[in-house]
């Protein structure tokens, strides 16, 4: 116990600095995923995307990032093993934040879209299994996460494939794409409104203290979808295009309609992402603050100190601004050529998968979901439309994420332990 009482301020400052570093990595890597399709399809310029993401990610993280957070993310380790030695849990969490931050820095520099959730989980598993005891890790949950590598990209890919094919058949392959767009796009808008409302209600608003039952959430989302449908219908009926223009011009105009939709989905994904993934950085920080302030007592939930959420929110925004464009390029241009309609299909599929995962309790990585969705859109145009070299690098980076986080956190854990003379 004396280590915690002797070095209480030092431990909190270290945890805060490394949590900021980890949040910076989340900004550089994960947020870029939310905006990649908008930039790749030229719906937004890179500068516009960064500004939009900064606003919505910050709002999501700060407004909806959670007053109370689970001190150990997703119950990956058993805190019973640390009751007698809480300082080891503190060292481990600090080491994990540093390890995950480093791995995200490396991946972002190389333009690899990796999972920030898996980075921190790999780091926590590493220090607990090697530094404390393999029995301290809930291996069943780790296997569930590994399983999600296949399941979530597959669901998102299939959804994106069918959304894109439906738009292709109903609108682009028709005799008059513009007339068909006026008829069918309001339905896509309504569907987008429904999914986005559901993502925001389930992922964002529950942190603000607005708790709805599942039926209430669905009813509210349906209401929003109906409003969006009619607004969309009015908006599109007002668009004036030259009917004498050639077919290519019609396509361009239809894509403009999808570009507006894409920006809306990107904003909502950024908000949901900020509210959800900021916990990857502030969860371990909250654990350290809670243990230190309670004199070594480990509780399963920790009420956040007022300054913890801004650390995560500011870190995310700075990471995106400073290094986000490399991963944006990979998602937006590297995997397959995106147009607004393709990017919209990918975004909507990714958001839908997030809703499905939230409802079923499936462990999910927003990154892998979106990459899966972009692959699905590419596959709709045939395997030749995919850049298989980029896809291979992405898959390798996913497999490496858990062990990379684990190895680095083990090294940092022992360095910190030695530094404090334990």
């Amino acid at each position: 116990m004396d280590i915690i009482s002797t070095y209480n301020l030092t431990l909190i400052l270290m945890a805060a600095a490394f949590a900021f570093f980890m949040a910076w990595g989340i900004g550089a890597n994960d947020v870029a995923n939310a905006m990649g399709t908008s930039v790749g399809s030229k719906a937004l310029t890179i500068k516009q995307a960064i500004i939009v993401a900064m606003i919505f990610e910050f709002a999501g993280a700060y407004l909806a990032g959670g007053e109370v957070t689970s001190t150990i993310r997703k119950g990956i380790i058993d805190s019973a093993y640390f009751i007698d030695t809480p300082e080891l849990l503190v060292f481990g969490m600090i080491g994990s934040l540093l390890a995950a931050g480093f791995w995200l820095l490396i991946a972002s520099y190389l333009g690899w879209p990796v999972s920030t959730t898996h980075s921190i989980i790999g780091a926590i598993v590493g220090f607990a299994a090697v530094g404390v005891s393999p029995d301290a890790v809930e291996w069943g949950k780790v296997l569930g996460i590994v399983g999600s590598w296949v399941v979530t990209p597959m669901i998102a890919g299939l959804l994106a494939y069918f959304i894109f094919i439906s738009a292709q058949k109903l609108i682009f392959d028709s005799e008059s794409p513009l007339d068909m767009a006026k008829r069918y796009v309001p339905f896509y808008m309504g569907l987008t409104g429904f999914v986005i409302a559901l993502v925001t209600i389930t992922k964002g608003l529950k942190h603000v203290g607005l708790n709805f039952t599942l039926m209430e959430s669905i009813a509210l989302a349906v209401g929003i979808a109906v409003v969006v449908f009619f607004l969309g219908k009015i908006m599109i009926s007002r668009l004036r295009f030259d009917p004498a223009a050639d077919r290519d011009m019609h396509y361009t105009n239809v894509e403009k309609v999808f570009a507006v939709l894409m920006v809306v989905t990107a904003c909502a994904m950024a908000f949901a992402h900020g509210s959800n993934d900021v916990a990857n950085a502030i969860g371990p920080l909250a654990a350290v603050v809670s243990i230190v302030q309670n004199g070594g007592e480990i509780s399963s939930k920790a009420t956040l100190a007022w300054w913890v959420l801004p650390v995560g929110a500011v870190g995310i925004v700075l990471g995106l601004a400073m290094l986000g464009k490399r991963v944006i390029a990979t998602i937006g241009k590297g995997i397959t050529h995106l147009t607004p309609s393709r990017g919209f299909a990918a975004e909507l599929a990714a958001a839908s998968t997030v809703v499905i995962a939230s409802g079923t309790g499936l462990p999910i990585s927003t990154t892998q979901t979106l990459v899966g969705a972009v692959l699905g859109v590419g596959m709709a145009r045939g395997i030749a439309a995919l850049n298989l070299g980029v896809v291979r690098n992405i898959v390798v980076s996913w497999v490496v994420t858990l062990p990379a986080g684990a190895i680095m956190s083990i090294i940092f854990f022992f360095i910190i332990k030695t530094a404090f003379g334990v």
Side-chain angles (χ1 to χ4, degrees), residues 109-176:
Y109 183 76
L110 295 169
W112 292 346
V114 296
S115 165
T116 53
T117 311
H118 294 173
S119 306
I120 192 70
I121 285 172
I124 290 173
V125 166
F127 96 81
V130 175
V132 183
S133 159
D135 299 336
V137 178
E138 302 281 355
W139 292 106
K141 296 212 168 156
V142 177
L143 281 174
I145 290 158
V146 173
S148 74
W149 290 354
V150 182
V151 179
T152 45
M154 222 164 69
I155 295 170
L158 282 170
L159 284 172
Y161 180 89
F162 288 118
I163 293 167
F164 178 64
I165 289 287
S166 72
Q168 192 79 31
K169 293 263 184 291
L170 294 171
I171 298 171
F172 291 97
D173 291 349
S174 65
E175 283 303 308
S176 55

Side-chain angles (χ1 to χ4, degrees), residues 65-73 207 276 278-287 290 299-305 308-309:
E67 280 308 303
V68 176
T69 186
S70 297
T71 51
I72 298 165
R73 276 292 269 171
H207 298 306
N276 191 51
V278 72
N280 288 329
I282 66 170
L285 171 58
S290 163
S299 57
S300 61
K301 295 271 183 193
T303 304
L304 295 186
V308 170
L309 267 176

Side-chain angles (χ1 to χ4, degrees), residues 26 29-35 37 57 73-74 113-118 148-149 152-153 156 199 203 268-278 280 331 346-347 349-355 357-358 362-374 398:
I26 293 174
N29 200 289
D30 244 20
V31 181
N33 300 322
M35 287 291 146
T37 46
E57 285 279 342
R73 276 292 269 171
K74 307 201 190 295
V114 296
S115 165
T116 53
T117 311
H118 294 173
S148 74
W149 290 354
T152 45
V199 168
K203 280 288 196 193
M269 281 296 277
F271 182 85
H273 179 268
S275 67
N276 191 51
D277 278 28
V278 72
N280 288 329
I331 293 274
E347 282 277 357
S352 307
T353 309
V354 170
V355 171
S358 297
L362 196 70
I364 190 171
S365 152
T366 35
T367 308
Q368 294 178 351
T369 307
L370 192 73
V371 170
V374 173
W398 288 356

